[in-house]
């Protein structure tokens, strides 16, 4: 096997024996075959589109297939084999309909290093975008521009013809399309669950039976909340599900009791002692050795041998009865722990609602600088940088967070800034999940307009931590918007060649993180 699509890849080069994530060679081979078949499907799909036709089944299956190959999503060879079978069937049908010729498979070893680097950057950007588009589709939002780009770009990747310029342009377009996908998801989430409002979220357990819900899928959470109503079960969020507490249509459930644990890489320890059932709605899942009997997967996420809750049929809710029964069989929490809370819910609607006050505070010198510390968490020790940085940021600066990297420091007390006589602005504002990078961009664009500048002219620094392919597509979006001087860590992607990295540094000023003191000195002077 060979895989170097995520930040924890072995020796910062590539996983060749077994994935650091736990991916087995058999799983890796199935995922490679799925990606190859998706590219071949795209050759036919693109040909079909050039003839003015479309195939909705192919467009939608493309999202699902790619999402299944994202890091920490699907480790179940049986489910992957079934997905591969569906992909092959669809490819054959499309090939028959279009008469498109399938190009020979490209061998990695035969590619120029820089071309390979740009192709992988594009593929991972597309995978991340597919994940967001998949979430949006679940909420009834889709856009043909996304599907048309996937067909075009994946058809290019099926062949070894594109030069560096074309691949660079496609990477930029991928960033733009991912913005569209995140916008669709934002519309799906906010139309369905309301605009997030600032909310204090309990992070200590309450006495009683318990279900822990992880991942990004808010509709799964809502259906579970409805089905657990009146059953004496408290529902807790985990990881990327934390921002759910800000949505009016989710926070209204009294048994949405709080948030438990921290980021994904600590789950083996934290899930082992959680006294209830666990539901994984998306990545990141790890090997559930000691709690396999009480963890469930649903949607795109799967683990060999773990019970999977089937998809909705004809719009009917999923049936979470097995999760509820498992929770009732476990002991639950014996007693209430003393209440502690963290804040979330600072999406674009909430922040822009007080934009005038924030702008006035910046002009009056009460807020010196904004730091967006966004992105994924992971197991590497270098990630302590983000904790130290957050702690060292001066008191007159505001920290914005999104995605699961915030678990390193969001329980610390950062205080607030009195921006006028009546408003104390918390110094740490959690915007939401990784896909809420859309919200961060909306906030930055509105501030830029108010200050009559562009985002690069704002007192704002983006300090990102990456782990998997969703972070790659967000990075492409930021670059496609012309955002410069992003600091990236904890290590740079293994799939970027020296030359491609140099292009990113020269064009966009991307810089690796150094030390919190050094970076703060450079940013604040
Ligand atoms: Fe290795 Fe990451 Fe690929 Fe898993 S997803 S096999 S850890 S590079
Ligand atoms: Fe985290 Fe997996 Fe990326 Fe959505 S849950 S941010 S790593």
């Amino acid at each position: 096997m060979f895989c170097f699509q995520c930040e924890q890849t072995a020796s910062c080069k590539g996983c060749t024996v077994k994935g650091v994530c736990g991916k087995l060679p058999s799983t890796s081979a199935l995922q490679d075959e799925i990606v190859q078949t998706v590219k071949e499907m795209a050759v036919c799909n693109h040909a079909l589109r050039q003839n003015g036709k479309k195939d909705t089944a192919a467009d939608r299956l493309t999202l699902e297939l790619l999402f299944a190959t994202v890091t920490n999503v699907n480790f179940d060879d049986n489910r992957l084999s079934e997905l591969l079978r569906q992909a092959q069937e669809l490819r054959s049908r499309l090939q028959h309909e279009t008469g498109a010729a399938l190009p020979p498979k490209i061998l990695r070893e035969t590619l120029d290093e820089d071309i390979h680097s740009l192709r992988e950057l594009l593929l991972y950007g597309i995978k991340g975008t597919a994940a967001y588009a998949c979430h949006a589709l679940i909420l009834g939002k889709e856009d043909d521009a996304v599907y048309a780009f996937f067909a075009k770009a994946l058809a290019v990747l099926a062949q070894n013809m594109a030069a560096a310029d074309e691949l660079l342009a496609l990477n930029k377009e991928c960033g733009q399309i991912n913005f569209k996908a995140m916008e669709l998801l934002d519309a799906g989430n906010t139309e369905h669950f309301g605009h997030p409002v600032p909310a204090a979220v309990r992070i200590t357990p309450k006495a009683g039976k318990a279900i822990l819900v992880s991942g990004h899928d808010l509709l799964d959470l809502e259906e579970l909340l409805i089905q657990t109503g009146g059953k004496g079960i408290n529902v807790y969020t985990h990881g990327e599900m934390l921002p759910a507490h800000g949505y009016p249509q989710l926070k209204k459930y009294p048994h949405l009791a709080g948030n438990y644990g921290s980021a994904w890489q600590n789950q083996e320890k934290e899930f082992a002692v959680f006294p209830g059932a666990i539901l994984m709605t998306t990545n990141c899942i790890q090997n559930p050795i000691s709690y396999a009997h009480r963890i469930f997967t649903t949607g795109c996420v799967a683990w060999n041998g773990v019970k999977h809750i089937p998809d909705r049929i004809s719009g009917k809710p999923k049936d979470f009865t097995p999760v509820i029964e498992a929770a009732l069989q476990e002991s639950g929490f014996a007693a209430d722990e003393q209440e502690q809370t963290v804040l979330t819910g600072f999406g674009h609607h909430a922040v822009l609602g007080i934009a005038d006050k924030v702008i006035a505070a910046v002009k009056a010198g009460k807020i010196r600088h904004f730091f967006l510390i966004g992105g994924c968490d992971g197991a590497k020790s270098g990630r302590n940088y983000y904790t130290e940085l957050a702690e060292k940021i001066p008191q007159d600066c505001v920290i914005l967070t999104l995605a699961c990297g915030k678990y390193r420091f969001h329980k610390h007390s950062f205080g607030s800034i009195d921006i006028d006589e009546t408003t104390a602005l918390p110094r740490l504002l959690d915007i939401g999940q990784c896909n809420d990078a859309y919200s961060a961009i909306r906030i930055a664009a509105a501030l830029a307009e108010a200050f009559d500048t562009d985002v690069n002219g704002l007192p704002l620094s983006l300090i990102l931590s990456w782990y998997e392919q969703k972070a790659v597509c967000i990075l492409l979006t930021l670059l496609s918007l012309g955002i410069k001087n992003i600091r990236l860590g904890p290590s740079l992607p293994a799939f970027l060649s020296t030359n491609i990295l140099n292009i990113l540094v020269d064009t966009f000023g991307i810089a690796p993180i150094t030390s919190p003191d050094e970076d703060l000195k450079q940013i604040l002077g």
Side-chain angles (χ1 to χ4, degrees), residues 1 3-6 8-9 15 19-21 23 71:
M1 68 176 278
C3 182
F4 64 170
Q5 68 176 354
C6 84
Q8 68 178 1
T9 193
C15 296
V20 176
C21 59
K23 187 155 87 177
T71 299

Side-chain angles (χ1 to χ4, degrees), residues 202 204-210 234 236 254 256-258 332-337:
R202 188 182 170 111
T204 42
K206 286 181 180 171
K209 302 281 181 185
N234 286 322
Y236 295 84
L256 181 61
F333 288 102
D336 284 3
E337 257 181 46

Side-chain angles (χ1 to χ4, degrees), residues 186 189-190 195-198 240 242-247 343-352 370-375 398-403 406 410 428-444 447 460 462:
D186 180 79
N189 279 336
T190 55
H195 281 288
V197 292
E240 279 285 74
L242 167 69
H245 295 270
Y247 286 89
L343 286 175
T344 189
F346 292 91
H348 58 89
H349 195 259
V351 175
L352 296 180
F370 295 90
F371 289 83
L372 175 72
I373 309 184
V398 171
I399 303 167
L400 306 162
T401 58
L402 52 84
K406 60 179 164 261
H410 79 142
L428 188 138
L429 304 175
D430 180 38
I431 298 178
Q433 298 180 333
C434 49
N435 40 286
D436 294 312
Y438 169 76
S439 237
I441 292 167
R442 286 277 308 271
I443 294 167
L447 287 179
L460 165 71
L462 281 73

Side-chain angles (χ1 to χ4, degrees), residues 212-265:
L212 186 59
V213 187
S214 188
H216 303 68
D217 194 311
L218 301 181
L219 192 58
D220 284 342
L221 175 63
E222 184 188 44
E223 290 180 354
L224 182 74
L225 284 166
I226 292 169
Q227 291 173 35
T228 45
K231 291 201 162 62
I233 298 173
N234 286 322
V235 175
Y236 295 84
T237 57
H238 171 262
E240 279 285 74
M241 203 52 94
L242 167 69
H245 295 270
Y247 286 89
Q249 292 305 316
L250 295 170
K251 75 198 289 287
K252 70 179 185 186
Y253 293 95
H255 59 299
L256 181 61
N259 177 258
Y260 171 90
S262 54
W264 67 271
Q265 75 279 359

